[in-house]
């Protein structure tokens, strides 16, 4: 059966993506630090129709973790058709309060883990004619002074994906980037709470002010990101290669 690895799948976007790919008929391998969160994702994926699941708890910022997850997937299912590199949250804040370690850890989990998973899964993906979707973010296109780590990491992921997509095409692998905008997750809720606290306003007011500042009609849902990923890895997207797709409600104004 076709098999998909989804990283950062213990909650949020990763969980929604794993559930959607399970619904599409993939055996789903989920990876993140939080075993309890992964177990919940697995149950939800099964309920959605996933024919098989595997949860691998691992610190994906560690160099050996991607190889271990890929090996576990191959041992369990014998093939890998899809890799969705979604793991990684980076610290926000004033540049002069962010530390060297903040930058190192931000790149270690989101960028270096993406690179390592691509390398580890490449032979299996080439054999299967598979697909890679790397999750970046619209911060790659719209630099903000409090998002110097995340914006830099997201830009690096786009550059890496576009560069490697040339080799991927030769090896019968499709490789694309998805940039979510403001999606309703625990991470977004936390940002709104900080905004409300700092400005001395209600959560609802802070939420609305953030929406208006982004010039969007509403916030997105994790399921909308998951639907786009499911499309990108499907045969319906077979002519999409090395492309960056923004799912942001129109928040990104650049060409």
């Amino acid at each position: 059966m076709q098999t998909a690895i989804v990283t950062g799948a213990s909650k949020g976007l990763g969980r929604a993506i794993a559930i959607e790919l399970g619904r599409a008929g993939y055996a789903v391998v989920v990876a993140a630090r939080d075993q309890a969160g992964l177990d919940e994702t697995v149950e939800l994926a099964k309920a959605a129709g996933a024919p098989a699941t595997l949860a691998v708890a691992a610190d994906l910022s560690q160099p050996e973790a991607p190889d271990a997850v890929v090996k576990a997937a191959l041992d369990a299912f014998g093939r890998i058709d899809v890799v969705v590199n979604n793991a990684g949250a980076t610290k926000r804040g004033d540049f002069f309060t962010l530390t060297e370690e903040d930058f190192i850890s931000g790149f270690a989990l989101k960028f270096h883990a993406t690179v390592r998973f691509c390398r580890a899964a490449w032979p299996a993906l080439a054999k299967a004619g598979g697909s890679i979707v790397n999750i970046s973010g619209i911060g790659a296109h719209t630099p903000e002074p409090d998002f110097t780590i995340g914006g830099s990491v997201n830009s690096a992921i786009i550059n890496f994906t576009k560069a490697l997509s040339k080799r991927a095409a030769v090896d019968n692998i499709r490789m694309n980037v998805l940039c979510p905008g403001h999606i309703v997750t625990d991470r977004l809720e936390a940002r709104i709470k900080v905004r409300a606290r700092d400005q001395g306003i209600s959560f609802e007011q802070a939420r609305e002010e953030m929406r208006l500042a982004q010039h969007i009609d509403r916030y997105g849902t994790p399921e909308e990101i998951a639907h786009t990923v499911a499309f990108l890895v499907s045969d319906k997207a077979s002519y999409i290669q090395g492309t960056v797709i923004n799912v942001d409600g129109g928040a990104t104004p650049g060409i």
Side-chain angles (χ1 to χ4, degrees), residues 108-183:
L109 181 55
K110 190 161 187 178
F111 178 73
H112 290 299
T114 293
V115 171
R116 291 170 184 143
F117 265 103
C118 289
R119 182 182 290 117
W122 199 271
L125 288 166
K127 183 178 180 180
S131 180
I132 298 169
V133 177
N134 292 329
I135 305 298
S136 176
I138 61 171
H141 308 301
T142 52
E144 296 290 345
D146 69 340
F147 200 51
T148 50
I149 300 175
S152 300
V153 171
N154 287 339
S155 295
I157 287 173
I158 290 175
N159 192 296
F160 168 75
T161 305
K162 279 189 164 288
L164 197 57
S165 69
K166 302 294 186 181
R167 173 62 184 269
V170 173
D171 289 346
N172 196 31
I173 300 170
R174 286 189 296 109
M175 191 173 188
N176 294 288
V177 183
L178 192 155
C179 292
H182 290 71
I183 309 299

Side-chain angles (χ1 to χ4, degrees), residues 53-136:
T53 59
L54 176 66
V56 183
D59 180 354
L60 302 179
S61 68
Q62 297 304 304
E64 68 278 4
D67 284 329
V69 174
V70 167
K71 183 179 185 302
L74 290 172
D75 287 347
F77 304 117
R79 61 185 291 164
I80 298 171
D81 299 85
V82 169
V83 172
V84 181
N85 285 305
N86 170 72
T90 57
K91 189 174 181 179
R92 286 179 175 269
D94 181 85
F95 171 72
F96 294 102
T97 66
L98 296 170
T99 66
E100 182 82 2
E101 182 56 36
D102 291 331
F103 275 84
I104 291 171
S105 63
F107 272 88
L109 181 55
K110 190 161 187 178
F111 178 73
H112 290 299
T114 293
V115 171
R116 291 170 184 143
F117 265 103
C118 289
R119 182 182 290 117
W122 199 271
L125 288 166
K127 183 178 180 180
S131 180
I132 298 169
V133 177
N134 292 329
I135 305 298
S136 176

